[in-house]
Amino acid sequence: MKNYQFIALLVVTTFLMGSSFAIVKLGLPYASPLLLAALRFILAGIIMAIVVIILKRPHPITRREWFKLCMIGSFQTAGVMGCIFLSLRTITASESSILTFTNPLLVVIFATIFMKVSYRFYQWIGVLFGLIGVMITMGAQVELKVGILFGLLSAVFWATATLLVKKWGVLFDTWVLSAYQMLFGGLLLLLGRALLEQPFFIVNPQSLLILLWLSIFSSIIQFAGWYYLLQNSDPGKTSAYLFLAPFFGVLTGWVLLEEPLKPSLMVGGLFIIMGIYLVNRTFSGERARR
């Protein structure tokens, strides 16, 4: 894939990631959080499973392969998305998106500890610049709420899933991986809603449109693109672009939900852009030692 195509796919993917927070917030009056998340991913998983079966894409053969695929679904869909949906009950879409997308810093930390990846000094500086940008964007004025904890947990789950996909993703066809991890994760969320909430879903044109958007654009297209990117690049480099997603989360929260658009967004954005540049500049020169 050419560099401009890589960047274009990253922008589209991060836009779908960031904007989904506002879309979910719009859907919460019509559905309980975990039930909405479960329906989103079960529907997306079923659609993609039908497609990959019809197209005869290569499926996992051994139980070990299926187990690894389900583990990815447990972290990426059930863990990340469950925490995001729960966080939106008490904090804004902007705050939730920003907290979730602190995960690139965790990717570098986890890769260093568990995968023995050695990142260079300026790569760490780049990641820290991005994290500072996220903090500035939030204005450092977040109240202590349970949603903050769920937002941070979603970042932990996402960083873990990123490294699992990098390690195991080559075993699977991209579309097969996307289909079954969403389906399995959705089923876990369905189990979770029975234990953690009083489920409800109000059927009307608005709720169905939101569900379809979340299932098709914010799930099928988003995950397929993201897994393709992870399988064809370094996870630290690719995850650095996730700092763009809070921008899209804040901007769509402002447009769709009329959440306040603070001047700190511009200052934080400059730090985020510098962080992305530093991480990718070092990768384009000297590669990280492994």
Side-chain angles (χ1 to χ4, degrees):
M1 175 179 284
K2 296 180 180 179
N3 190 51
Y4 72 88
Q5 294 174 323
F6 178 83
I7 293 175
L9 183 56
L10 273 168
V11 171
V12 170
T13 303
T14 53
F15 171 77
L16 291 173
M17 289 178 181
S19 61
S20 66
F21 290 81
I23 303 299
V24 169
K25 194 79 170 181
L26 289 173
L28 291 182
Y30 307 110
S32 54
L34 293 182
L35 179 58
L36 180 58
L39 293 175
R40 165 188 176 179
F41 290 108
I42 289 174
L43 178 58
I46 289 174
I47 292 173
M48 285 200 68
I50 293 173
V51 170
V52 297
I53 291 173
I54 292 175
L55 296 179
K56 298 181 179 180
R57 306 294 296 186
H59 281 56
I61 299 174
T62 66
R63 292 182 179 179
R64 182 179 293 273
E65 289 177 344
W66 279 108
F67 172 77
K68 290 178 178 178
L69 192 153
C70 290
M71 282 293 292
I72 293 173
S74 298
F75 284 97
Q76 183 69 75
T77 293
V80 175
M81 299 304 168
C83 287
I84 288 173
F85 277 59
L86 289 172
S87 73
L88 289 170
R89 293 190 300 183
T90 56
I91 61 177
T92 67
S94 300
E95 291 171 337
S96 180
S97 65
I98 291 169
L99 288 170
T100 296
F101 290 109
T102 58
N103 77 81
L105 175 60
L106 298 179
V107 168
V108 174
I109 294 173
F110 290 173
T112 300
I113 296 174
F114 300 111
M115 300 181 70
K116 308 304 179 183
V117 176
S118 180
Y119 292 96
R120 299 187 182 279
F121 176 75
Y122 287 106
Q123 292 169 321
W124 283 95
I125 294 298
V127 172
L128 289 174
F129 263 61
L131 182 60
I132 291 171
V134 169
M135 295 173 63
I136 294 174
T137 302
M138 292 194 71
Q141 296 176 347
V142 179
E143 297 179 14
L144 184 60
K145 302 176 182 177
V146 68
I148 301 300
L149 175 60
F150 281 121
L152 292 172
L153 281 175
S154 69
V156 173
F157 282 124
W158 199 323
T160 304
T162 296
L163 297 179
L164 289 179
V165 170
K166 185 60 182 178
K167 182 177 181 180
W168 295 337
V170 294
L171 301 173
F172 309 108
D173 175 86
T174 300
W175 289 94
V176 170
L177 172 62
S178 299
Y180 292 105
Q181 74 86 15
M182 286 193 295
L183 182 57
F184 181 76
L187 292 174
L188 283 182
L189 288 168
L190 193 63
L191 175 62
R193 62 93 195 173
L195 301 175
L196 300 174
E197 68 181 16
Q198 295 292 326
F200 71 91
F201 188 88
I202 300 172
V203 179
N204 57 36
Q206 291 81 7
S207 65
L208 294 178
L209 180 61
I210 289 170
L211 179 59
L212 287 175
W213 177 275
L214 290 173
S215 298
I216 296 173
F217 291 97
S218 297
S219 298
I220 294 175
I221 296 176
Q222 171 190 306
F223 277 115
W226 180 241
Y227 288 141
Y228 178 85
L229 291 167
L230 285 180
Q231 290 173 356
N232 290 275
S233 67
D234 184 277
K237 174 182 177 180
T238 302
S239 294
Y241 279 91
L242 287 178
F243 286 127
L244 290 174
F247 264 132
F248 294 126
V250 172
L251 290 174
T252 53
W254 172 59
V255 172
L256 297 178
L257 303 172
E258 298 184 352
E259 294 178 352
L261 186 60
K262 302 176 182 179
S264 58
L265 176 66
M266 303 306 297
V267 178
L270 291 176
F271 276 88
I272 291 170
I273 291 171
M274 286 190 291
I276 292 173
Y277 172 78
L278 285 173
V279 171
N280 285 277
R281 182 70 182 86
T282 54
F283 269 100
S284 63
E286 293 183 277
R287 303 288 295 182
R289 298 187 305 272
R290 294 183 181 277

